[in-house]
Amino acid sequence: MAELQERTFIAIKPDGVQRGIIGEIIKRFETKGFKLVGMKMLQASEDLLMQHYIDLKDRPFFPSLVNYMSSGPVVAMVWEGKGVVKTGRVMLGETNPADSKPGTIRGDFCIDVSKNIIHGSDSVDSAKTEISLWFKSEELVNYTSCAFSWLY
Ligand code: DAT
Ligand code: MG
């Protein structure tokens, strides 16, 4: 069923990597029940990041955002499951960590909007665009999780 195969693009930003929060973030998506179908660590180029954040190109913080995002390695991931785009955003919390509730990733692990440790796609359409920007199709896997029938 297609709705169970919805996918989202999640990236642990350079501060999340440097601060040692990779495992905690992956754990939250894993234990929720979502399925990891792609993952790689890379130092993203300014070109890639300018494309990724193209909608924000006229905002005053755009240059510093691209600089921050290219300042160290990121962990790029694709997670799959029913409602994963919307639920993923709920798990992340608000853009500004100060507005993010405890229990969310940004609510629990960061303070400032300019260092908010994680990216998540905000719609099914933007997820498709971001996944194809960051991953080649052969870098994504298709498999059935043994937990499937215990989740759905
Ligand atoms: P989100 O990452 O929650 O989807 P967004 O797409 O509006 O938020 O912005 C992308 C990133 O840009 C965000 O994670 C952090 C940064 N950002 C947004 N608003 C900002 C601001 N007012 N000052 C500094 N950085 C900001
Ligand atoms: Mg966004």
Side-chain angles (χ1 to χ4, degrees), residues 53 89 119-120 122:
Y53 282 128
R89 291 286 296 195
H119 168 82
D122 63 7

Side-chain angles (χ1 to χ4, degrees), residues 72-92:
V74 300
V75 176
M77 298 177 281
V78 179
W79 288 89
E80 181 180 291
K82 186 179 182 182
V84 69
V85 172
K86 188 169 174 225
T87 301
R89 291 286 296 195
V90 174
M91 291 166 66
L92 261 60

Side-chain angles (χ1 to χ4, degrees), residues 95-109:
T95 301
N96 189 339
D99 299 328
S100 300
K101 292 200 171 61
T104 65
I105 292 166
R106 287 167 173 166
D108 286 350
F109 299 115

Side-chain angles (χ1 to χ4, degrees), residues 10 21 24-26 28-29 88 90-93 97 100-110 116-118:
I10 299 289
I21 311 173
E24 175 66 35
I25 290 171
I26 292 174
R28 289 188 179 207
F29 280 84
V90 174
M91 291 166 66
L92 261 60
S100 300
K101 292 200 171 61
T104 65
I105 292 166
R106 287 167 173 166
D108 286 350
F109 299 115
C110 53
N116 65 2
I117 75 165
I118 185 166

Side-chain angles (χ1 to χ4, degrees), residues 4 26-36 79-82 84 87 91 143 145 147-148 150-152:
L4 308 185
I26 292 174
K27 182 182 172 193
R28 289 188 179 207
F29 280 84
E30 256 190 328
T31 53
K32 175 72 176 169
F34 292 127
K35 186 170 75 174
L36 185 61
W79 288 89
E80 181 180 291
K82 186 179 182 182
V84 69
T87 301
M91 291 166 66
Y143 65 101
S145 163
F148 184 87
W150 300 102
L151 289 162
Y152 300 108

Side-chain angles (χ1 to χ4, degrees), residues 44-55:
S45 68
E46 288 192 7
D47 274 359
L48 172 61
L49 292 162
M50 287 197 288
Q51 284 186 67
H52 175 76
Y53 282 128
I54 193 78
D55 294 347

